[in-house]
Amino acid sequence: MKTAIITGGAKGIGRAIALKFAKEGVNIVVNYFSTEPAALISEIEALGVEAIGVKADVSKFDEAKALVDACMERFGRVDYLVNNAGITKDGLIMMMKEADFDAVIDTNLKGTFNTMRHASPIMLKQKSGAIVNIASIAAFLCNAGQANYTASKAGVIGMTKSVARELGSRGITVNAVAPGFIETDMTDDLSDKIKEYVLQNVALKRFGKAHEVAELVYFVANCGYMTGETVTLDGGWT
Ligand code: NAP
C-alpha cells in the first residue's frame, strides 16, 4: 500500500486532501501543529486504510525530519508528500512586523523545503514518489498587503520547478497546485468587502471548496508525465 504525508492535514484543505488520498486506498500520515487530529484519524481508518497523527512544526528543520522519520517507522516508505501547511499574516509593507514576515516565510517556504529535504533521499532510494506543494494564486495576483505571503508562494513555485529537475531522473514528480479563494478558516476572517470583490472577479461566481482542491491534488500526484508544473484552481479568477 502507498503512503502519503500531508502537512497541516488536520483541518481545511489539508484535511480534505488526507480524506481524498485515504478514499483512494493510501495510508495517511496526518501532520498537525495545533489541531488535534484524533477524530480525523478514526474517520480515515473507517475508510479501510491506516493513519497516524504526527505533531510537528514544519518550519523547524528537525521537526520536519521527525515527521518523515515517523512515516518511515510506521509505513517504511513515502510515496506522496503534500506540502499544505501554510499561514497568512497580512499587512502593508510599511507596517509589517519582521516577525510576521519571518513566520510566513518560515512556515510556507522553509517548511516546504524542510519536508522535501528529508523526504527526497527516501524517494530517490525508492526510485518513485510524488510531491505536491500547495502554492496560491497570490503568487500571480501579488495582492497589496500580502508581500510576505506572495513571496512565500512565489518561492514555493520556483522551488517546485528546481526540485522537479533534480528528482525527475528517478521518476519522482514535483508539482504545485495554486488555489484561488477556498472556503476554510484562512479565508473565513476576510471582510465582506474582500469576499464581494472576489466573487465579482471569479468567473464561476462562487468560492472554491476544500474537497475540490483535494481532487486536483490527487490527480496531479498521479499524473505521471507532468512535473515542475503549477496548476491553478481558482474558478476562473486569474
Ligand atoms: P487553514 O484552514 O488555516 O489550515 C492551515 C493548516 O496549516 C492547518 O492544518 C495548520 O495546522 C497548518 N499549519 C500552520 N502552521 C503550521 C506549522 N508551522 N507546522 C505544521 N502545520 C502548520 O488554511 P487552508 O485554507 O486549509 O490552507 C491550506 C493551504 O492552502 C495553505 O498553504 C494556504 O496558504 C493554501 N491556500 C489556501 C487558500 C484558501 O483560499 N483557503 C488559497 C490558496 C492557497 P494546525 O491547525 O494543526 O495548527
Side-chain angles (χ1 to χ4, degrees), residues 7-15 17 31-37 55-60 63 83-88 103 106-108 134-138 149 152-153 177-188 190 208 210 213 233:
T7 70
K11 72 171 194 173
I13 293 170
R15 184 180 193 281
I17 294 169
N31 157 247
Y32 66 101
F33 184 46
S34 61
T35 303
E36 177 51 53
K55 185 170 184 174
D57 176 348
V58 295
S59 72
K60 304 279 193 303
E63 293 191 34
N83 283 306
N84 162 80
I87 57 171
T88 51
D106 287 354
T107 303
N108 301 4
I134 305 301
S136 168
I137 60 163
Y149 188 72
S152 74
K153 295 301 189 179
V177 163
F181 191 114
I182 310 299
E183 285 176 331
T184 67
D185 287 355
M186 184 176 276
T187 47
D188 199 35
L190 294 171
V213 181
L233 181 95

Side-chain angles (χ1 to χ4, degrees), residues 1-6 8-11 13-32 36-54 74-75:
M1 271 173 98
K2 290 190 170 181
T3 299
I5 299 174
I6 318 292
K11 72 171 194 173
I13 293 170
R15 184 180 193 281
I17 294 169
L19 285 167
K20 170 64 184 172
F21 277 68
K23 279 178 196 149
E24 298 294 340
V26 177
N27 292 328
I28 307 293
V29 176
V30 177
N31 157 247
Y32 66 101
E36 177 51 53
L40 174 62
I41 298 293
S42 302
E43 203 177 325
I44 290 172
E45 285 172 343
L47 294 167
V49 297
E50 293 178 45
I52 55 168
V54 180
R74 175 66 184 262
F75 297 112

Side-chain angles (χ1 to χ4, degrees), residues 70-140:
C71 178
M72 287 303 283
E73 200 171 302
R74 175 66 184 262
F75 297 112
R77 53 189 298 114
V78 182
D79 298 287
Y80 302 106
L81 168 64
V82 181
N83 283 306
N84 162 80
I87 57 171
T88 51
K89 288 192 183 289
D90 296 352
L92 297 172
I93 191 73
M94 66 285 250
M95 291 185 291
M96 187 176 284
K97 293 191 185 92
E98 184 185 8
D100 288 348
F101 184 85
D102 288 348
V104 170
I105 297 293
D106 287 354
T107 303
N108 301 4
L109 182 58
K110 191 167 179 223
T112 300
F113 160 75
N114 285 341
T115 53
M116 290 201 295
R117 168 66 184 81
H118 297 302
S120 56
I122 295 161
M123 290 181 170
L124 286 167
K125 208 170 162 192
Q126 289 172 178
K127 295 192 175 62
S128 70
I131 299 172
V132 181
N133 297 323
I134 305 301
S136 168
I137 60 163
F140 313 125

Side-chain angles (χ1 to χ4, degrees), residues 165-187:
R165 289 189 196 280
E166 292 180 24
L167 305 185
S169 65
R170 300 285 180 95
I172 300 157
T173 63
V174 190
N175 292 290
V177 163
F181 191 114
I182 310 299
E183 285 176 331
T184 67
D185 287 355
M186 184 176 276
T187 47

